[in-house]
Amino acid sequence: DMPSGGITLAIAANGSLALDGDEMSPEMLDTQLSAQLAQNPDLRLRINAHRDAELRLVLPYVTRAESLGLKDVVLVVTPERDG
């Protein structure tokens, strides 16, 4: 089961970002995460990367989130479908 609550950062195969469906730059992401963390210190961030997104594009966002003070960062893996 996927952890509930919090916000979701989607990372597309080309590395573009969307936070809860709103596309944004990496700089804007930092601002948004800081603002939401100020309102909710126990905020959970789910990072849902496209299966074709390279890991080198994904892992820096875990580090960024933790450096901003998020303590609950979850990587969501979407398995390939058979067929």
Side-chain angles (χ1 to χ4, degrees):
D1 289 339
M2 193 160 80
S4 61
I7 55 178
T8 300
L9 172 64
I11 304 175
N14 66 4
S16 64
L17 306 173
L19 186 64
D20 281 345
D22 296 326
E23 288 187 39
M24 61 185 59
S25 68
E27 296 76 23
M28 185 181 279
L29 174 66
D30 287 354
T31 301
Q32 289 292 321
L33 289 177
S34 294
Q36 292 201 31
L37 187 60
Q39 293 178 9
N40 180 3
D42 297 322
L43 183 66
R44 169 180 286 147
L45 174 65
R46 287 181 307 276
I47 299 178
N48 187 359
H50 187 278
R51 76 172 51 100
D52 293 331
E54 294 183 30
L55 199 55
R56 67 181 178 85
L57 298 176
V58 176
L59 291 180
Y61 291 104
V62 175
T63 303
R64 284 173 92 142
E66 290 174 342
S67 71
L68 290 171
L70 281 124
K71 297 177 186 72
D72 194 0
V73 180
V74 179
L75 288 175
V76 178
V77 178
T78 304
E80 287 191 50
R81 293 185 179 162
D82 293 333

